[in-house]
Amino acid sequence: MGLGWPLIVDAGRLVREFLRNSKWTAPIFSLGRSEKLLAISVGERVLWVAEMTWDADAAPHSRVAEFVYSPDSTLDDAERLGGELANFLSAQNLSTRRVVFGVPAKWLIVEPYEMPPADAETASNVLWLHATERVMPALGPMVFDFMGDSCPTEPRTLLLVGLQRRWRERLMALAAGAGLKVVGITPIGTAVGAATSRHVRTSLIALFGPGGLELIDQKGQYTRSIHYIRSNGSPQPVIAELRRAAAARSLDSDSQEHGRRDLVLWDDIGMEPEFLNAVRQSASLPITEARGQWVGVSESGASDGVKGLSAVALTLNRRTAACPSIDFLRPRLGPSKRERWRRPGVWLPWAVAAVVLIALAGLMDMLSIQKQISGLDNQLQAMQPALDVARPYVATMQFAESFGATRPRYLACIGDLTQALPPDGQTYLISFNLRTDMKGEVFGNSTNEQNVLNFRDKLNASGRFADLMCKLDARETRGNANNVSFSITFVYLPQK
């Protein structure tokens, strides 16, 4: 029995690790029962609420409703807002208590990270250290998760996503006030991207959602970026951002390899037709409209056309028994947890035996510790090749840190260039390079040559750019519109 006790403890630890890291999210025994789930896409003034019912023998059924905050209610007083939500759910006859929240891109910190060859555990530790060291202290406590898979033999790009803990706490308080049980918190953008990837392989997604306008770069099942677009009700910022993204992706080897790249429109809130038409006419990519069938419901099954589909998309992973790509309720990133002692009540049946075997237990404990130490030493030796590969990346990152001085010359240069660009969105940059000797070069596109010359003159007048040389290259694009490509070389004169 003395030899078997450590094995029981180790087996229990392995079971706990499996349950914590397992990607199995569906019930083990469903016995043909229908499943229900409530999903809420969160905005600052509105919530889209979807109740989904599904089972193995029938098509899923959805009910979608829009909850608008009362004039004096905000998420700052989440419990009070939760009480109003409870009354709304009761009035709509939505009785499901299990809920998954979708958070908007405006709340998120999103950063791609080039991960060197590493196994899953090492990659998680590296991402956690990177996240805690790079995030501004003013943001306060954060919750981090990531999207993508590391590889022991080659570098991979992972998407690191962070959410301020205060937002998670407010959502938990909102659920408590409404009498709901939270089963997941995930970005709306990744849920929409996953639904789109089932029908469009490589795409830019423009989501007009309850939390504002979001631009999502989707490649297969992976979301490569989520970007919040500030807009004052005009389509021009959206059009300018789409053009920049399309121009940048035209130089991407992945986009060239996969050929066709669509712009997918998710109108989740019912934008004005004039707004959407302006976006459609100005986009340089084929347009695809999101459909209710993408999330498993018919157009007639939604409460108002395709409005509120982002909330339905939040349920898709759980309906297909897949693990959510990002879940801020149970994030995969965090500090390593020490093994906890089991509660004394579990040991009571062994009290008499413990008195007799205490000396043997101490000896076995020492042997177990020595075994763990030996195992850790072997793991360290096994990780040595991966560490040798990672050291050049670490050295590169340390070199890059030197660019973040008290006077950020490179950011100042980008700021001066941005200030000189015309605000109409017709002239934009697609490439920027600035060397340590302050000699730089930018590439961009515009609708006519005069805009480029005006941009050059404004740079010259700012007093921050010397030795300006501009090169124009006009070429025919489509219809009768001319697209002007240009490059400008300069020497930047930072403010002292």
Side-chain angles (χ1 to χ4, degrees):
M1 183 170 58
L3 293 176
W5 178 251
L7 296 178
I8 295 175
V9 173
D10 288 342
R13 177 178 58 82
L14 292 174
V15 170
R16 286 195 301 273
E17 290 294 325
F18 170 78
L19 293 176
R20 184 176 64 182
N21 300 321
S22 174
K23 294 186 176 181
W24 182 267
T25 59
I28 297 177
F29 300 105
S30 62
L31 299 179
R33 294 184 294 107
S34 62
E35 297 290 333
K36 281 189 174 184
L37 182 65
L38 199 68
I40 300 179
S41 291
V42 182
E44 293 184 350
R45 296 302 309 167
V46 66
L47 305 176
W48 273 111
V49 182
E51 183 183 64
M52 291 296 302
T53 305
W54 72 94
D55 57 41
D57 301 324
H61 175 70
S62 68
R63 296 180 59 202
V64 182
E66 182 182 20
F67 171 70
V68 181
Y69 302 178
S70 61
D72 56 344
S73 296
T74 66
L75 278 172
D76 293 333
D77 190 359
E79 290 189 4
R80 175 185 174 186
L81 186 62
E84 297 179 3
L85 177 61
N87 295 333
F88 173 80
L89 296 177
S90 177
Q92 296 290 327
N93 293 322
L94 300 175
S95 60
T96 305
R97 300 293 93 187
R98 297 169 62 247
V99 63
V100 56
F101 283 109
V103 296
K106 187 177 182 179
W107 294 3
L108 303 176
I109 294 175
V110 182
E111 178 184 343
Y113 184 84
E114 186 69 21
M115 177 64 64
D119 57 33
E121 182 178 0
T122 303
S124 296
N125 293 335
V126 170
L127 278 177
W128 172 249
L129 291 175
H130 173 77
T132 53
E133 290 177 359
R134 299 290 178 179
V135 174
M136 295 169 51
L139 294 177
M142 300 285 297
V143 183
F144 289 99
D145 206 342
F146 69 96
M147 190 173 190
D149 298 313
S150 61
C151 178
T153 58
E154 61 183 21
R156 292 286 178 84
T157 300
L158 307 180
L159 189 67
L160 179 66
V161 185
L163 175 72
Q164 286 180 299
R165 192 173 298 170
R166 66 186 179 94
W167 288 117
R168 186 176 72 171
E169 292 172 353
R170 290 177 182 179
L171 292 179
M172 299 299 290
L174 175 66
L180 303 176
K181 178 182 179 181
V182 183
V183 298
I185 301 175
T186 190
I188 300 173
T190 58
V192 167
T196 304
S197 68
R198 297 167 177 261
H199 304 273
V200 183
R201 170 66 182 172
T202 305
S203 62
L204 283 174
I205 304 170
L207 169 63
F208 303 91
L213 307 182
E214 303 181 23
L215 185 63
I216 305 157
D217 187 356
Q218 190 75 17
K219 177 188 174 186
Q221 61 179 329
Y222 293 110
T223 302
R224 307 206 300 185
S225 69
I226 306 174
H227 180 52
Y228 170 69
I229 303 176
R230 296 183 181 273
S231 175
N232 56 0
S234 168
Q236 293 304 322
V238 183
I239 294 171
E241 194 66 35
L242 288 173
R243 286 177 174 174
R244 291 189 184 96
R249 290 305 173 208
S250 66
L251 304 176
D252 192 339
S253 60
D254 289 337
S255 299
Q256 296 172 2
E257 177 183 350
H258 291 91
R260 177 186 172 98
R261 182 178 182 82
D262 289 7
L263 172 63
V264 180
L265 297 181
W266 280 69
D267 182 14
D268 203 40
I269 57 177
M271 296 295 295
E272 294 294 334
E274 295 79 6
F275 188 103
L276 293 176
N277 288 335
V279 173
R280 293 187 185 99
Q281 293 172 5
S282 302
S284 58
L285 296 173
I287 302 294
T288 301
E289 305 280 350
R291 302 182 62 84
Q293 290 86 345
W294 291 9
V295 290
V297 298
S298 63
E299 305 288 346
S300 60
S303 63
D304 187 7
V306 295
K307 292 172 63 175
L309 282 185
S310 68
V312 183
L314 294 170
T315 68
L316 191 58
N317 281 334
R318 294 184 180 270
R319 283 188 278 141
T320 56
C323 181
S325 56
I326 293 177
D327 188 355
F328 295 117
L329 185 64
R330 301 176 185 84
R332 290 177 289 171
L333 297 184
S336 58
K337 299 179 181 178
R338 298 179 180 179
E339 187 71 20
R340 299 176 180 176
W341 293 97
R342 301 180 69 183
R343 291 177 295 178
V346 181
W347 298 341
L348 290 179
W350 303 90
V352 176
V355 174
V356 179
L357 299 175
I358 187 169
L360 180 59
L363 176 61
M364 295 303 299
D365 205 25
M366 292 179 59
L367 294 176
S368 177
I369 292 174
Q370 292 178 353
K371 181 179 179 181
Q372 293 178 17
I373 294 174
S374 177
L376 291 174
D377 288 337
N378 293 335
Q379 291 180 19
L380 181 60
Q381 293 296 327
M383 289 174 57
Q384 194 61 41
L387 292 175
D388 292 337
V389 175
R391 284 193 180 96
Y393 289 88
V394 175
T396 302
M397 294 301 298
Q398 290 175 344
F399 171 76
E401 286 179 350
S402 64
F403 290 81
T406 55
R407 293 191 296 272
R409 299 173 295 173
Y410 300 88
L411 291 179
C413 180
I414 295 175
D416 290 338
L417 287 169
T418 303
Q419 290 295 327
L421 282 171
D424 58 4
Q426 302 299 317
T427 304
Y428 53 92
L429 303 179
I430 61 175
S431 177
F432 167 79
N433 180 34
L434 183 62
R435 301 196 299 268
T436 56
D437 58 0
M438 294 295 104
K439 292 182 178 180
E441 184 176 16
V442 295
F443 293 88
N445 287 333
S446 183
T447 55
N448 58 69
E449 297 180 356
Q450 186 59 44
N451 286 345
V452 179
L453 297 178
N454 292 341
F455 174 52
R456 180 201 61 187
D457 294 340
K458 196 168 182 179
L459 291 177
N460 191 36
S462 68
R464 294 283 183 266
F465 299 85
D467 297 339
L468 284 164
M469 294 186 64
C470 180
K471 181 180 179 181
L472 300 174
D473 179 18
R475 64 180 185 273
E476 192 75 15
T477 56
R478 60 179 181 177
N480 296 322
N482 290 324
N483 186 28
V484 178
S485 298
F486 65 91
S487 64
I488 300 177
T489 60
F490 58 87
V491 175
Y492 184 62
L493 306 175
Q495 184 176 5
K496 297 182 178 179

